[in-house]
Amino acid sequence: MPTERTAIESQVPEETEGLRLVKASHIATGFPAIVRSLKSALSQESIVAMARDWTLVNQDRGFDCPSCAWGDPEGNRSRFEFCENGAKSMADASTKARATPEVFAQYSAEELSHHSDHWLNALGRITHPMVLHPGHTHFEPIAWGDAFEMIASKLRSLSSPNEAVFYTSGKAVNESAFLFQLFARVFGTNNLPDCSNMCHESSSLALSRTIGIGKSTVTVEDLEHADCILEIGHNPGTNHPRMLTSLQIAKDRGAKMIAVNPMPEVSLFRFAHPQKPWQWVGDGTPMADLYLQVRINGDVALVKGFIKALIELEDENPGTVLDWPFIEHYTSGFAELEESVRSCSWESIVRGCGIDLPSILEAASMIAASKRMVVCWCMGLTQHHNGVENIQEMVNLLLLGGNIGRAGAGALCIRGHSNVQGDRTMGVWEQMDDPYLDRLRDEFRFEPPRKHGWDTVASIHAMNENRVAAFISLGGNFLSASPDTGAVARGLNNVQLNAHITTKLNRCHLFTGSAALLLPCLSRTERDEQESGLQITSVENTVNKVSSSRGHLEPASQYVRSEVAIICGMAKVSVGDRAAIEWDAMAANYDLIRDAISHVIPGTEEYNKRLRETDGFYMPIPPKERVFTTDNGKAKFTVNPMSPIVLEPGQLLMATIRSHDQFNTVVYGLEDKYRGISGGRRVIFMHPDDMAARGLETKTLVDISSHFRGERRCMQHFQAIPYPIARGCTATYYPETNPLVHLDAVARGSCQPASKSVVITVARSLDQNATNVAPDGTEVTTA
């Protein structure tokens, strides 16, 4: 069985050889993005498949892009409504490579575990259900019926339903997500961790507390009509490139843009639309009117500075800056906020964020002149110990100007995976409220469990404490997406049965516990034929719109099944006699699933009709109508302390980030064109002055140690790369440095991993000739 050490040693020689520093692109996308998209597609799929993918993705009666959750434009759409990352994702799903039983016969699970996710992904689509039996070394083919019976037998053997964990990835569509949580709750548990726990749990909690719902309050059109846009804590060019089109539209209409990020990401400054040839020449569209290079975790201090400046501007010009009618009629808590902000000195604010006072005042003046402001953020705000407070401070800023429930204004929480928001709407959450559970009970005539279940971090703890016997995963890469890789590996190896619904092999599948199943499913690009005919599925994007998705390519193998069919097959055998649920009927006709959803989830009424007769529908967002379903019926101002991270001499802060050749945990290649990296990923970006202070030169091998509550963890042999990041801050790629993120380093309230503010020290490696060998892993010591 692969060990914890193997899990940590994920950076193997093929990803450390030949690291080169190349000229970084100074404009986001443009013509080079077309070239890279073509190269990626044609290296993996046929021209015919590529043409079908490219012309149907994100189109009416086409399929939803399996990459990010960005919203589609209303009305006329581009003929090619996707980005470079979408092209890579489609090519990855439509690849001609196949992980057949012969491939699994060639490599043992132990041998496979020593390869990286990048290498494993390149093996291609899994063609048959596979099993690793107890005591065996290799995965072997298994019949679907036998696989379902194996799962059912294990579930029936548990002493408590809470010994099972049901994990969901954001790539799962609404229909499969709804059935998956139904399966878990009929079985008797609310242990439903999902990828939201790791990306936007802080946003969901903060928004629910302050405006009554944990979702964005804007549409794509609102963003395009904003007159001031605050881009904070995210990198649109790599993480959600289609957003750049909307930002460009807003800029062309005269919007001012303030960009806040410790790293000067290219897409915050210039963008050339790849479908507009006249933009291929020149410097593209200027984006940010003001760039503020905040220190890591300095966001509350910076936004508090904006708020303080706005209050002082209101003092100078009463009635011209703050929206008093909105504040007085729709909000509560302003007096407490005002008192708190006035008591903060400018010195403490400047020290806390690292931005000089004139720049803070300049930004505040831009905000004060605005009548329609949108604040956009992603995990650069949520993955901190004070991630919830970060988002609450953004809401404070919006409420001051009445920028909730106004056209062209609002909060834009940018989701990552293409249906991560839809999964939560469908009920994939360990803390669903009683009204939801009551409706589920009434629809299916069973009593759902009421005790809250485990989120991601709690599930990992439970695995390590031998309290989990069965782990069932609907997509995703739990090992590489979670913090504290060693703890996750130990936990998975403690589990008696790990079952994964998946399209491809990843490292999580190789930490097998006593036994493991790989259940290959259709990708979103493939035709889903069931007994009643060709099926459609649905997703919800980051701006709350539900739309249909129809696959068009032939399945990767005659043996793969849809997510829905697999879940229904498992559930029928495991819990088929426990509730009034026709699992076979729903697997045969997804309309029946959506009929049930429409009875359980408010806002989805006439689901099938609206999905088929229109291009989709928006879920209800009460704050858009200035209806706030908080405990007092008001939008709430909150007081959020700056709570800076105090560093000891020699310590730095580290944020984990994606490369441009990556989407979430899927690494498509070893290039990061916007940061000038080629051929490798085991790097640490450092300010040149921080490197000089430690006697480091470009590509010097260094060891990185993290420090949390007296525990030191060390990862060896990273190459130090000078980069214009904020002084005292560093950045590394995930999942490579996830082992440095302690499992208990989480955001207050949301329990979201604090992967964007890790306290580290950096030291020259003793062996400077170790570039081409795999590292020794982490050494965990207690001070």
Coordinates of all heavy atoms in Angstrom, one line a residue, residues 617-680:
F617 N -32.5 29.5 -16.5 CA -33.2 30.4 -15.6 C -32.3 30.7 -14.4 O -31.4 30.0 -14.1 CB -34.5 29.8 -15.1 CG -34.3 28.5 -14.4 CD1 -34.2 28.4 -13.0 CD2 -34.4 27.3 -15.0 CE1 -34.1 27.2 -12.3 CE2 -34.2 26.1 -14.4 CZ -34.1 26.1 -13.0
Y618 N -32.5 31.9 -13.8 CA -31.8 32.3 -12.6 C -32.4 31.8 -11.4 O -33.7 31.9 -11.2 CB -31.7 33.9 -12.6 CG -30.7 34.4 -13.6 CD1 -31.1 34.9 -14.8 CD2 -29.3 34.5 -13.3 CE1 -30.2 35.4 -15.8 CE2 -28.4 35.0 -14.2 CZ -28.9 35.4 -15.4 OH -28.0 35.9 -16.3
M619 N -31.6 31.4 -10.4 CA -32.1 31.0 -9.1 C -32.5 32.3 -8.4 O -31.8 33.4 -8.6 CB -31.1 30.2 -8.3 CG -30.8 28.9 -8.9 SD -32.3 27.8 -8.8 CE -32.5 27.6 -7.0
P620 N -33.5 32.3 -7.5 CA -33.8 33.6 -6.8 C -32.7 34.0 -5.8 O -32.2 33.2 -5.1 CB -35.1 33.2 -6.0 CG -35.0 31.7 -5.9 CD -34.3 31.2 -7.2
I621 N -32.4 35.3 -5.9 CA -31.4 35.9 -5.0 C -32.1 37.1 -4.4 O -32.1 38.2 -4.9 CB -30.2 36.3 -5.8 CG1 -29.6 35.2 -6.6 CG2 -29.1 36.9 -4.8 CD1 -29.0 34.0 -5.7
P622 N -32.7 36.9 -3.2 CA -33.5 38.0 -2.6 C -32.7 39.3 -2.4 O -33.4 40.4 -2.6 CB -33.8 37.4 -1.2 CG -33.9 35.9 -1.4 CD -32.8 35.7 -2.4
P623 N -31.4 39.4 -2.1 CA -30.8 40.7 -2.0 C -30.8 41.5 -3.3 O -30.7 42.7 -3.2 CB -29.3 40.3 -1.6 CG -29.4 39.0 -0.9 CD -30.5 38.3 -1.6
K624 N -31.0 40.8 -4.4 CA -31.1 41.6 -5.6 C -32.3 42.5 -5.6 O -32.4 43.5 -6.3 CB -31.1 40.7 -6.9 CG -29.8 40.0 -7.1 CD -29.9 39.0 -8.2 CE -30.2 39.6 -9.6 NZ -29.0 40.3 -10.1
E625 N -33.3 42.1 -4.8 CA -34.5 42.9 -4.7 C -34.5 43.6 -3.3 O -35.5 44.1 -2.9 CB -35.8 42.0 -4.7 CG -35.8 41.0 -5.9 CD -35.8 41.8 -7.2 OE1 -36.4 42.9 -7.3 OE2 -35.2 41.3 -8.2
R626 N -33.4 43.7 -2.7 CA -33.2 44.3 -1.4 C -34.0 43.7 -0.3 O -34.6 44.4 0.5 CB -33.4 45.8 -1.5 CG -32.3 46.5 -2.4 CD -32.3 48.0 -2.3 NE -31.0 48.5 -2.9 CZ -30.7 49.8 -3.1 NH1 -31.6 50.7 -2.7 NH2 -29.6 50.1 -3.6
V627 N -34.2 42.4 -0.5 CA -34.8 41.5 0.6 C -33.7 40.7 1.2 O -33.0 40.0 0.6 CB -35.9 40.6 0.0 CG1 -36.4 39.7 1.0 CG2 -37.0 41.4 -0.7
F628 N -33.5 41.0 2.5 CA -32.4 40.3 3.3 C -33.0 39.4 4.3 O -33.6 39.8 5.3 CB -31.5 41.4 3.9 CG -31.0 42.4 2.9 CD1 -31.6 43.7 2.8 CD2 -30.0 42.1 2.1 CE1 -31.1 44.6 1.8 CE2 -29.5 43.0 1.1 CZ -30.0 44.2 1.0
T629 N -32.7 38.1 4.1 CA -33.3 37.1 5.0 C -32.4 36.7 6.1 O -32.1 35.6 6.4 CB -33.6 35.8 4.1 OG1 -32.5 35.4 3.4 CG2 -34.7 36.1 3.1
T630 N -31.9 37.8 6.8 CA -31.1 37.6 8.0 C -32.1 37.5 9.2 O -33.3 37.6 9.0 CB -30.1 38.8 8.2 OG1 -30.9 40.0 8.2 CG2 -29.1 38.8 7.0
D631 N -31.5 37.3 10.4 CA -32.4 37.2 11.5 C -33.2 38.4 11.9 O -34.2 38.4 12.5 CB -31.6 36.7 12.8 CG -30.5 37.6 13.1 OD1 -30.3 38.7 12.5 OD2 -29.7 37.2 14.0
N632 N -32.7 39.6 11.4 CA -33.4 40.8 11.7 C -34.0 41.5 10.4 O -34.5 42.6 10.4 CB -32.6 41.8 12.4 CG -31.4 42.3 11.6 OD1 -31.2 41.9 10.5 ND2 -30.6 43.2 12.2
G633 N -33.9 40.8 9.3 CA -34.5 41.3 8.0 C -33.7 42.4 7.4 O -34.2 43.1 6.5
K634 N -32.5 42.7 7.9 CA -31.7 43.8 7.4 C -30.3 43.2 6.9 O -29.8 42.2 7.4 CB -31.3 44.8 8.5 CG -32.6 45.4 9.2 CD -33.1 46.5 8.4 CE -34.2 47.3 9.2 NZ -34.7 48.4 8.4
A635 N -29.7 43.9 6.0 CA -28.3 43.7 5.7 C -27.5 44.2 6.8 O -27.7 45.2 7.4 CB -27.9 44.4 4.4
K636 N -26.4 43.4 7.2 CA -25.7 43.7 8.4 C -24.3 44.2 8.2 O -23.5 43.6 7.5 CB -25.6 42.4 9.3 CG -27.0 42.0 9.8 CD -26.8 40.8 10.7 CE -28.1 40.3 11.3 NZ -27.8 39.2 12.3
F637 N -24.0 45.4 8.7 CA -22.6 45.8 8.8 C -22.0 45.0 10.0 O -22.7 44.6 10.9 CB -22.6 47.3 9.2 CG -22.9 48.2 8.1 CD1 -24.1 48.9 8.0 CD2 -21.9 48.5 7.1 CE1 -24.4 49.7 7.0 CE2 -22.2 49.4 6.1 CZ -23.4 50.0 6.0
T638 N -20.7 44.7 9.8 CA -20.0 43.9 10.8 C -18.7 44.6 11.2 O -18.2 45.3 10.4 CB -19.7 42.5 10.4 OG1 -19.1 42.5 9.1 CG2 -21.0 41.7 10.2
V639 N -18.3 44.3 12.4 CA -17.0 44.9 12.9 C -15.9 43.7 12.7 O -16.1 42.7 13.4 CB -17.0 45.4 14.3 CG1 -15.7 45.8 14.8 CG2 -18.0 46.5 14.4
N640 N -14.9 43.9 11.9 CA -13.9 42.9 11.6 C -12.5 43.4 12.0 O -12.0 44.3 11.4 CB -14.0 42.5 10.2 CG -15.4 42.1 9.7 OD1 -15.9 41.1 10.2 ND2 -16.0 43.0 8.9
P641 N -11.9 42.8 13.0 CA -10.6 43.2 13.4 C -9.6 42.9 12.4 O -9.8 42.0 11.5 CB -10.3 42.4 14.7 CG -11.2 41.2 14.5 CD -12.4 41.6 13.8
M642 N -8.5 43.6 12.3 CA -7.5 43.4 11.3 C -6.7 42.1 11.6 O -6.3 41.4 10.6 CB -6.5 44.6 11.3 CG -7.2 45.8 10.6 SD -6.1 47.2 10.3 CE -6.0 48.0 12.0
S643 N -6.5 41.7 12.8 CA -5.9 40.5 13.2 C -4.7 40.0 12.3 O -4.7 39.0 11.7 CB -6.9 39.3 13.3 OG -7.5 39.1 12.1
P644 N -3.7 40.9 12.3 CA -2.5 40.5 11.4 C -1.8 39.3 11.9 O -1.8 39.0 13.1 CB -1.6 41.8 11.5 CG -2.0 42.4 12.9 CD -3.4 42.1 13.1
I645 N -1.1 38.6 11.0 CA -0.2 37.5 11.4 C 1.1 38.1 11.8 O 1.8 38.8 11.0 CB -0.1 36.5 10.2 CG1 -1.4 35.9 9.8 CG2 0.9 35.4 10.5 CD1 -1.4 35.1 8.6
V646 N 1.5 37.8 13.0 CA 2.8 38.3 13.5 C 3.9 37.3 13.1 O 3.9 36.2 13.5 CB 2.7 38.5 15.0 CG1 4.0 39.0 15.6 CG2 1.6 39.5 15.4
L647 N 4.8 37.8 12.4 CA 6.0 37.0 11.9 C 7.2 37.2 12.8 O 7.5 38.3 13.2 CB 6.3 37.3 10.5 CG 5.2 37.0 9.4 CD1 5.7 37.5 8.0 CD2 4.8 35.6 9.4
E648 N 7.9 36.1 13.1 CA 9.2 36.2 13.8 C 10.3 36.6 12.8 O 10.1 36.4 11.6 CB 9.5 34.9 14.4 CG 8.5 34.5 15.5 CD 8.8 33.1 16.1 OE1 9.8 32.5 15.8 OE2 8.0 32.7 16.9
P649 N 11.4 37.1 13.3 CA 12.5 37.4 12.3 C 12.8 36.3 11.4 O 12.9 35.1 11.8 CB 13.7 37.7 13.3 CG 13.0 38.2 14.5 CD 11.8 37.4 14.7
G650 N 12.9 36.6 10.1 CA 13.3 35.6 9.1 C 12.1 34.8 8.5 O 12.3 34.1 7.5
Q651 N 10.9 35.0 9.1 CA 9.7 34.3 8.6 C 9.1 35.1 7.4 O 9.2 36.3 7.3 CB 8.7 34.1 9.7 CG 9.2 33.0 10.7 CD 8.1 32.8 11.8 OE1 7.2 33.6 12.0 NE2 8.2 31.6 12.4
L652 N 8.4 34.4 6.5 CA 7.7 34.9 5.4 C 6.3 34.3 5.4 O 6.0 33.3 6.1 CB 8.4 34.6 4.1 CG 9.9 35.0 4.0 CD1 10.6 34.2 2.8 CD2 10.0 36.5 3.7
L653 N 5.4 34.9 4.5 CA 4.1 34.3 4.3 C 4.1 33.7 2.9 O 4.6 34.3 2.0 CB 3.0 35.3 4.4 CG 2.6 35.7 5.9 CD1 1.6 36.9 5.8 CD2 2.0 34.5 6.6
M654 N 3.5 32.5 2.8 CA 3.4 31.8 1.6 C 1.9 31.6 1.2 O 1.1 31.2 2.0 CB 4.0 30.4 1.7 CG 4.0 29.6 0.4 SD 4.6 27.9 0.6 CE 3.1 27.1 1.4
A655 N 1.6 31.8 -0.1 CA 0.3 31.5 -0.7 C 0.5 30.4 -1.7 O 1.4 30.5 -2.5 CB -0.3 32.8 -1.3
T656 N -0.4 29.5 -1.7 CA -0.4 28.4 -2.8 C -1.3 28.9 -3.9 O -2.3 29.5 -3.7 CB -0.9 27.1 -2.3 OG1 -2.2 27.2 -1.8 CG2 0.0 26.6 -1.1
I657 N -0.8 28.7 -5.2 CA -1.4 29.3 -6.4 C -1.5 28.2 -7.5 O -0.8 27.2 -7.4 CB -0.7 30.5 -6.9 CG1 0.7 30.2 -7.2 CG2 -0.8 31.6 -5.8 CD1 1.5 31.3 -7.9
R658 N -2.2 28.5 -8.5 CA -2.2 27.7 -9.7 C -1.2 28.2 -10.7 O -0.9 29.4 -10.7 CB -3.6 27.7 -10.4 CG -4.8 27.2 -9.7 CD -6.0 27.4 -10.6 NE -7.2 27.2 -10.0 CZ -8.4 27.5 -10.5 NH1 -8.4 27.9 -11.7 NH2 -9.5 27.3 -9.8
S659 N -0.8 27.3 -11.6 CA 0.0 27.7 -12.8 C -1.1 28.0 -13.9 O -2.2 27.6 -13.8 CB 1.0 26.7 -13.3 OG 0.3 25.6 -13.9
H660 N -0.6 28.5 -15.0 CA -1.6 28.8 -16.1 C -1.9 27.5 -16.8 O -2.9 27.4 -17.6 CB -1.0 29.8 -17.1 CG -2.0 30.2 -18.1 ND1 -3.1 31.0 -17.8 CD2 -2.1 30.0 -19.5 CE1 -3.8 31.3 -18.9 NE2 -3.2 30.6 -19.9
D661 N -1.1 26.4 -16.7 CA -1.3 25.1 -17.3 C -2.0 24.2 -16.4 O -1.7 23.0 -16.4 CB 0.1 24.5 -17.7 CG 0.1 24.2 -19.2 OD1 -0.9 24.4 -19.9 OD2 1.1 23.7 -19.7
Q662 N -3.0 24.7 -15.6 CA -3.6 23.9 -14.5 C -5.0 24.4 -14.3 O -5.3 25.6 -14.4 CB -2.7 24.1 -13.3 CG -3.3 23.5 -12.0 CD -2.4 23.8 -10.8 OE1 -1.4 24.5 -10.9 NE2 -2.8 23.3 -9.6
F663 N -5.9 23.5 -14.0 CA -7.2 23.9 -13.5 C -7.5 23.1 -12.3 O -7.6 21.9 -12.3 CB -8.3 23.7 -14.5 CG -9.6 24.2 -14.0 CD1 -9.8 25.6 -14.0 CD2 -10.6 23.4 -13.5 CE1 -11.0 26.1 -13.5 CE2 -11.8 23.9 -13.0 CZ -12.0 25.2 -13.0
N664 N -7.6 23.8 -11.2 CA -7.7 23.1 -9.9 C -6.6 22.1 -9.7 O -5.5 22.5 -9.8 CB -9.1 22.5 -9.7 CG -10.2 23.6 -9.5 OD1 -9.9 24.8 -9.3 ND2 -11.4 23.2 -9.5
T665 N -6.9 20.8 -9.5 CA -5.8 19.9 -9.2 C -5.4 19.2 -10.5 O -4.4 18.4 -10.5 CB -6.3 18.8 -8.3 OG1 -7.4 18.1 -8.9 CG2 -6.7 19.3 -6.9
V666 N -6.0 19.5 -11.7 CA -5.6 18.9 -12.9 C -4.5 19.7 -13.6 O -4.7 20.9 -13.9 CB -6.8 18.7 -13.9 CG1 -6.3 18.1 -15.2 CG2 -7.9 17.9 -13.3
V667 N -3.3 19.1 -13.7 CA -2.2 19.8 -14.3 C -2.0 19.3 -15.8 O -1.7 18.1 -16.0 CB -0.9 19.4 -13.5 CG1 0.3 20.1 -14.2 CG2 -1.0 19.9 -12.1
Y668 N -2.3 20.2 -16.7 CA -2.3 19.9 -18.1 C -0.9 19.9 -18.7 O -0.6 19.1 -19.6 CB -3.1 20.9 -18.9 CG -4.6 21.0 -18.5 CD1 -5.1 22.2 -18.1 CD2 -5.4 19.8 -18.5 CE1 -6.4 22.2 -17.7 CE2 -6.7 19.9 -18.1 CZ -7.2 21.1 -17.7 OH -8.5 21.2 -17.3
G669 N 0.0 20.7 -18.1 CA 1.4 20.8 -18.6 C 2.2 21.5 -17.6 O 1.8 21.8 -16.5
L670 N 3.5 21.8 -18.0 CA 4.5 22.3 -17.1 C 4.9 23.8 -17.5 O 6.0 24.2 -17.2 CB 5.7 21.4 -17.1 CG 5.4 19.9 -16.7 CD1 6.7 19.1 -16.7 CD2 4.7 19.8 -15.4
E671 N 3.9 24.5 -18.1 CA 4.2 25.9 -18.5 C 3.4 26.9 -17.6 O 2.3 26.6 -17.2 CB 3.9 26.1 -19.9 CG 4.4 25.0 -20.9 CD 5.9 24.9 -20.8 OE1 6.6 26.0 -20.9 OE2 6.5 23.8 -20.7
D672 N 4.0 28.0 -17.3 CA 3.2 29.1 -16.7 C 3.6 30.4 -17.4 O 4.5 31.1 -17.0 CB 3.6 29.2 -15.2 CG 2.6 30.0 -14.4 OD1 1.7 30.7 -15.1 OD2 2.6 30.1 -13.2
K673 N 3.0 30.6 -18.5 CA 3.5 31.6 -19.5 C 3.4 33.0 -18.9 O 4.2 33.9 -19.3 CB 2.7 31.6 -20.8 CG 1.2 31.9 -20.6 CD 0.4 31.6 -21.9 CE -1.0 32.1 -21.8 NZ -1.1 33.6 -22.0
Y674 N 2.4 33.3 -18.0 CA 2.3 34.6 -17.5 C 3.3 34.9 -16.4 O 3.5 36.1 -16.0 CB 0.9 34.8 -16.9 CG -0.2 34.8 -17.9 CD1 -1.5 34.4 -17.6 CD2 0.0 35.3 -19.2 CE1 -2.5 34.4 -18.5 CE2 -1.0 35.3 -20.1 CZ -2.2 34.8 -19.8 OH -3.3 34.8 -20.7
R675 N 4.0 33.9 -15.9 CA 5.0 34.1 -14.8 C 6.4 33.7 -15.3 O 7.3 33.8 -14.5 CB 4.6 33.4 -13.6 CG 3.3 33.8 -13.0 CD 3.0 33.1 -11.6 NE 1.7 33.5 -11.1 CZ 0.7 32.6 -11.1 NH1 0.8 31.4 -11.5 NH2 -0.5 33.0 -10.6
G676 N 6.5 33.3 -16.6 CA 7.8 33.0 -17.1 C 8.5 31.7 -16.7 O 9.7 31.6 -16.6
I677 N 7.6 30.7 -16.4 CA 8.1 29.4 -16.0 C 7.8 28.4 -17.0 O 6.7 28.3 -17.6 CB 7.5 29.0 -14.6 CG1 7.8 30.0 -13.5 CG2 7.9 27.6 -14.3 CD1 9.2 30.0 -13.1
S678 N 8.8 27.5 -17.3 CA 8.6 26.5 -18.3 C 9.4 25.2 -17.9 O 10.5 25.3 -17.4 CB 9.2 26.9 -19.7 OG 9.1 25.9 -20.7
G679 N 8.7 24.1 -18.0 CA 9.3 22.8 -17.8 C 9.4 22.3 -16.4 O 10.1 21.3 -16.1
G680 N 8.7 23.0 -15.4 CA 8.7 22.5 -14.0 C 7.8 23.3 -13.2 O 7.2 24.3 -13.6

